[in-house]
Amino acid sequence: MPHRVVPVQPLQPIKGRGAASRLAHRFETEARVPFDDGWEFEPTRRDDDDLDIEPAKLATEIRFESARSVISQNDSPDIPFDRSLNPYRGCEHGCIYCFARPTHSYLNLSPGLDFETKLIAKRNIAEVLRGELAARSYRPASLAIGTATDCYQPIERELRLTRSVIELLGETRHPFSIVTKSSTVERDIDLLAPLGADRLAAVYITITTLDAQLARRLEPRAAAPHRRLRTVRALADAGVPVGVSVAPQIPFLNEDMEEVLAAAWDAGARSAFYTVLRLPWEVAPLFKEWLELHYPMRAARIMARVREMRGGQDYDADFATRMKGSGTWAELIAQRFLKATTRLGFNRDRVAQDHASFRPPNLSGQAQLF
């Protein structure tokens, strides 16, 4: 009997998801490859009606954890803040370029589909944050929220962890900023508007491109570009200081930086920043896999320019260049951003905030006299 060759199952884009596979994380000792075992299209099957059934959709799973600490400190010279907070691990938005994907490896989960479908919520985040802000050694500085995973991803609508954090920061008069792609931030304008007026809150909306089709592939479960512009307008109209992040810049893919900045300015954004594509650890193979599925004719050219900005590698973690890249192409992107923001009038620095009015939270449960 001749040996039957079992074909490897080709990858296909998954509707509503950025990654197309559960890429093995870097700590795994085994590797698995999907293949066609003959059952799905077995010609001898009689139940022909079943052949038309669509494959089951990947459901989102929410897990909960009790965090021991929630403020992350950093001393990176290329980051304009020294502390940040993220209510969630993993992100349902599914942005294929997300530099936070490799953090799922520490949970023994795939940076691919698991990052988008197995989400961890820090259920006690406000309680732990209250204790950290009350510490005698604590000194206030702007707290960046949602810098790794989006604090307004879909599960926030129900869990409201981000809102609980904002309520506490408002109570203690602690300055903070938010980075998001979600229109759900509009829900919290009642909290953000008065804090913004007192220079305690600022919001940055990430708009990677105005091309709706590209955005749907890059960031499948994030708000559409036109919806993000409406969010910029809603925040600006409410008096919340609002900026725009045109990140990441990807050569030969999202080439409309100037149009994005102009639309954001018209909507009310007054500050702007950008980064170039970062491909640390497992993000590199995931992004290349995505390119081959969605833009195969451009994949080699895009990766050639990415490597040109990274000294010939997929990624270089050097603090001096990791955010903006190096070389001719990186300089071109920097010049485009500088000229566009200068012409429009954007502030390229983060919004200045008030650090002097901070009041440590009361842990005793008794009202403060003064």
Side-chain angles (χ1 to χ4, degrees):
M1 181 177 178
H3 176 70
R4 180 187 176 189
V5 177
V6 181
V8 174
Q9 188 180 61
L11 286 176
Q12 296 291 335
I14 301 174
K15 185 175 181 180
R17 300 297 180 184
S21 70
R22 285 190 168 84
L23 179 79
H25 61 72
R26 60 189 181 277
F27 304 120
E28 286 196 46
T29 57
E30 297 180 354
R32 295 174 175 83
V33 178
F35 67 94
D36 179 4
D37 62 3
W39 282 102
E40 185 172 1
F41 301 106
E42 178 59 56
T44 59
R45 290 181 61 179
R46 300 298 182 184
D47 49 343
D48 295 339
D49 291 341
D50 290 345
L51 297 177
D52 295 328
I53 296 177
E54 293 185 2
K57 294 181 179 179
L58 286 172
T60 299
E61 176 187 338
I62 304 173
R63 304 176 183 181
F64 293 91
E65 72 171 7
S66 296
R68 299 183 195 178
S69 63
V70 295
I71 296 180
S72 298
Q73 302 279 348
N74 83 82
D75 57 1
S76 302
D78 57 343
I79 297 178
F81 52 84
D82 67 357
R83 64 202 68 184
S84 60
L85 176 150
N86 293 281
Y88 305 104
R89 299 174 189 256
C91 186
E92 195 174 0
H93 283 165
C95 305
I96 192 59
Y97 53 74
C98 182
F99 67 87
R101 284 181 176 273
T103 61
H104 249 45
S105 299
Y106 297 111
L107 305 175
N108 200 31
L109 295 171
S110 167
L113 286 171
D114 286 351
F115 181 80
E116 307 172 34
T117 60
K118 299 184 188 309
L119 313 178
I120 293 88
K122 302 174 184 178
R123 57 183 153 202
N124 62 337
I125 190 168
E127 175 187 345
V128 175
L129 178 61
R130 181 177 291 275
E132 292 179 342
L133 297 182
R136 290 187 178 184
S137 61
Y138 184 79
R139 297 294 179 267
S142 186
L143 181 63
I145 304 175
T147 54
T149 59
D150 204 309
C151 60
Y152 282 108
Q153 59 181 287
I155 59 174
E156 167 62 19
R157 297 169 193 162
E158 176 185 353
L159 299 183
R160 302 168 72 89
L161 297 181
T162 300
R163 184 174 177 89
S164 70
V165 167
I166 295 174
E167 289 171 339
L168 174 57
L169 296 175
E171 172 193 328
T172 58
R173 309 291 292 171
H174 192 292
F176 66 94
S177 63
I178 292 171
V179 180
T180 183
K181 299 181 179 75
S182 175
S183 58
T184 303
V185 66
E186 295 176 26
R187 179 202 64 191
D188 294 338
I189 284 179
D190 62 318
L191 301 176
L192 295 169
L195 295 173
D198 291 341
R199 296 191 303 117
L200 293 171
V203 178
Y204 298 89
I205 303 297
T206 298
I207 305 177
T208 315
T209 179
L210 297 181
D211 183 333
Q213 183 180 49
L214 172 58
R216 191 178 301 112
R217 293 173 177 174
L218 268 177
E219 310 152 340
R221 296 202 177 191
H226 74 274
R227 186 65 184 88
R228 297 183 217 182
L229 289 171
R230 281 171 50 193
T231 297
V232 172
R233 170 55 61 195
L235 291 165
D237 287 348
V240 180
V242 59
V244 62
S245 163
V246 287
Q249 289 298 305
I250 308 172
F252 301 129
L253 202 59
N254 56 334
E255 295 283 75
D256 57 347
M257 176 203 288
E258 291 82 358
E259 290 80 1
V260 173
L261 288 168
W265 177 269
D266 290 343
R270 290 298 177 263
S271 60
F273 69 92
Y274 83 97
T275 62
V276 299
L277 178 68
R278 296 167 58 189
L279 299 176
W281 297 107
E282 295 93 339
V283 186
L286 283 166
F287 183 74
K288 287 186 276 190
E289 182 180 274
W290 179 89
L291 280 177
E292 291 295 339
L293 286 174
H294 294 281
Y295 297 98
M297 302 300 291
R298 275 188 265 174
R301 185 167 56 150
I302 290 171
M303 286 308 302
R305 295 291 77 76
V306 169
R307 294 187 185 105
E308 180 183 318
M309 294 192 294
R310 300 297 185 188
Q313 305 175 72
D314 289 344
Y315 183 59
D316 181 0
D318 189 330
F319 284 146
T321 60
R322 64 174 180 169
M323 294 299 183
K324 298 295 191 291
S326 62
T328 303
W329 204 265
E331 291 173 5
L332 176 61
I333 293 174
Q335 290 176 15
R336 289 174 56 199
F337 179 79
L338 177 61
K339 290 180 179 179
T341 51
T342 300
R343 182 180 69 254
L344 293 165
F346 274 107
N347 176 14
R348 290 183 291 273
D349 296 321
R350 298 292 178 115
V351 175
Q353 294 186 308
D354 173 22
H355 300 167
S357 60
F358 172 68
R359 301 189 301 251
N362 179 17
L363 296 181
S364 67
Q366 297 178 345
Q368 293 178 319
L369 295 177
F370 305 100

